[in-house]
Amino acid sequence: MIPFIKHTIILSAILITSNIYASTNNDLEEKINIILVEWANEVSEITTYYDDIRSDIYTDISNISISQKKATTINQKINLLLLKEELTEKLKVNNLSEISDVSKIRYLKGLQIIKLLYEKMLSLDHHFASVATFNEINNLSNPNYYPRFVKHKEDIRSNANKKQGFNLTEILGDNIYTSVVHSLVSLFTSNAPKYEKETNIKEIECILDFTLRMHTDLKTIYFETAFLQKSNDNTIDQLEQLFVDFTKPIKYRVPLKECRNTDDWSSIHDHLGTYIDALNEAILDESKRYKAHKMQVNLEFPIDRLLQFITQYNSFIDQGGKFYEKFGIMLNSYENEKQCSTEIPIEYKKLKENIIIAIEKFNTAYKPVEINGSKMKEILYGISEYD
């Protein structure tokens, strides 16, 4: 059986390396690929190690079978039979030990993936909180937040026909539709000269055109971004619960958030080492094989749960990317952007830039491309497509 200290060194190196994950996104993919190659090599090394032992055992069993045919005494036949049973037991232990070591790799790799996904989800959470802020998106769609429009409302109100006009309540005054309609009606019925009315409407026409045309689209972006942020919060909660299930078999009780904040990953290694020692001890004792099987299942089940979560995470990222592509189309649909370029708020242009950046991030930094290929199959299952 390969000494566990070897895996201790590798795990320590990986946990140290994974602390760098959140520092930069530019070389993240390269680091992930390097780690995946290292783990694939480790699986291959373990498989080769146990294959060599297995081959030697099969050779010995074959030689014994030949000797059994040539045996002439009862004692010789009994001794050869006992030796063959001993080798058969060694073969079982070898196979179980190989499964145990591959499970260690699956578990350690799963732990590393959880760390990576958690950093990505926290990065997404920060992203949603900083996308031009929801209030800015909301304000862009309402002319009442534009100082020039507010000023003209006051000018129109001062020139309004007192007999024909009326003032809106505070609630209706903040409503985009009633406010615009009231302002236009008040302008047309005011006592101001015709040229002044035309000048007034010209000065605010871009504000009115932009907010009325883009109001629905901006509101859609507002609410759907809120939906994405809520979905991300739920996904983080599910990942934190997955970590609880993942570390439960090895009796590690610290929540993922606390583990990350206190950099307590080495404690997980200690708990895993104790668990693996007990598993290997049970493997060597034929009377405890059933216990070893249960321990093996308990170690494998949360890893399979992780694979299900990865599928869910990929789906969420794909959904988010499509949402932002739709947002980009919406923001680029304003027909009079050139004519009103001087009047369109800078926040609108910044929002368009943020959407472009967000689409790129969903396609690169957030999307876990590194866990969707043949390398991951090799790591998680110890299977190479070249075998």
Side-chain angles (χ1 to χ4, degrees), residues 61-102:
I61 291 176
S62 177
N63 291 334
I64 290 175
S65 296
I66 294 174
S67 297
Q68 283 178 320
K69 294 179 181 179
K70 297 179 180 180
T72 57
T73 66
I74 295 296
N75 286 338
Q76 286 178 329
K77 292 181 179 180
I78 292 176
N79 289 334
L80 288 172
L81 181 61
L82 292 176
L83 184 57
K84 192 173 185 178
E85 288 181 354
E86 181 180 340
L87 289 173
T88 302
E89 174 64 16
K90 285 184 178 180
L91 185 62
K92 290 180 181 178
V93 171
N94 183 75
N95 293 338
L96 292 172
S97 297
E98 181 181 12
I99 294 173
S100 174
D101 280 345
V102 171

Side-chain angles (χ1 to χ4, degrees), residues 124 127-128 228 313-329 355-356 358-364 366-367:
L124 268 172
H127 160 77
F128 287 127
L228 286 174
Y313 173 81
N314 281 336
S315 176
F316 171 68
I317 295 301
D318 288 339
Q319 180 191 47
K322 291 176 182 177
F323 266 78
Y324 274 91
E325 288 175 1
K326 180 175 70 174
F327 296 163
I329 294 173
I355 295 299
I356 294 174
I359 293 173
E360 177 64 21
K361 284 187 175 181
F362 271 96
N363 290 330
T364 56
Y366 300 142
K367 188 174 182 62

